Amino acid sequence: MSIDINLKNELDADFWEVFVNGELDVSTADQFKEYLHKLIDKDIKNIRFDLSNLDYIDSTGLGVMIGVLKRIKVENKEIYIKSPKDNVKKIFSITGLDKIFKMEG
């Protein structure tokens, strides 16, 4: 189980654009959480997760995303989910998180 996280940030943008590749599960969630908290410690912005290359997500990974959303919501920021694969999109739908996060494509 592995995860690869990359950041693309436009200087003017009010977004952290985070590309998540691989599998986001119990074995990679701590690494993902640490990465996101370091970003938020620098600057609280909207976050767009590009999940086009995320093969799998479990409840631990979803929990990290929810925790980060709670933290940035105090500054009226949002999390956007971009281009999830069908199996990942289904998890968001089954859990109702497609109503909590802003789904894009």
Side-chain angles (χ1 to χ4, degrees), residues 52-66:
S52 56
N53 291 312
L54 184 68
D55 298 319
Y56 176 79
I57 189 168
D58 72 2
S59 60
T60 314
L62 292 173
V64 170
M65 288 185 174
I66 292 166

Side-chain angles (χ1 to χ4, degrees), residues 26-70:
V26 69
S27 66
T28 58
D30 284 342
Q31 176 187 352
F32 186 60
K33 181 178 180 178
E34 183 179 317
Y35 182 90
L36 294 174
H37 283 276
K38 283 181 182 176
L39 279 183
I40 296 168
D41 289 344
K42 286 186 209 171
D43 192 10
I44 294 181
K45 298 184 180 196
N46 291 301
I47 299 173
R48 178 177 290 119
F49 290 116
D50 184 316
L51 303 185
S52 56
N53 291 312
L54 184 68
D55 298 319
Y56 176 79
I57 189 168
D58 72 2
S59 60
T60 314
L62 292 173
V64 170
M65 288 185 174
I66 292 166
V68 169
L69 180 63
K70 286 179 182 177

Side-chain angles (χ1 to χ4, degrees), residues 3-99:
I3 190 168
D4 183 31
I5 311 161
N6 295 296
L7 176 68
K8 177 184 170 194
N9 188 35
E10 305 298 329
L11 293 176
D12 304 334
D14 192 32
F15 277 91
W16 292 114
E17 183 133 8
V18 180
F19 295 81
V20 187
N21 307 314
E23 298 180 358
L24 180 49
D25 57 19
V26 69
S27 66
T28 58
D30 284 342
Q31 176 187 352
F32 186 60
K33 181 178 180 178
E34 183 179 317
Y35 182 90
L36 294 174
H37 283 276
K38 283 181 182 176
L39 279 183
I40 296 168
D41 289 344
K42 286 186 209 171
D43 192 10
I44 294 181
K45 298 184 180 196
N46 291 301
I47 299 173
R48 178 177 290 119
F49 290 116
D50 184 316
L51 303 185
S52 56
N53 291 312
L54 184 68
D55 298 319
Y56 176 79
I57 189 168
D58 72 2
S59 60
T60 314
L62 292 173
V64 170
M65 288 185 174
I66 292 166
V68 169
L69 180 63
K70 286 179 182 177
R71 190 164 166 204
I72 67 173
K73 273 284 200 185
V74 299
E75 299 290 333
N76 295 314
K77 302 298 182 188
E78 297 286 347
I79 289 181
Y80 295 79
I81 305 296
K82 179 179 174 185
S83 305
K85 292 182 178 182
D86 287 342
N87 62 316
V88 173
K89 192 175 196 174
K90 187 175 181 179
I91 297 296
F92 281 91
S93 179
I94 289 170
T95 59
L97 292 175
D98 58 341
K99 309 289 187 276

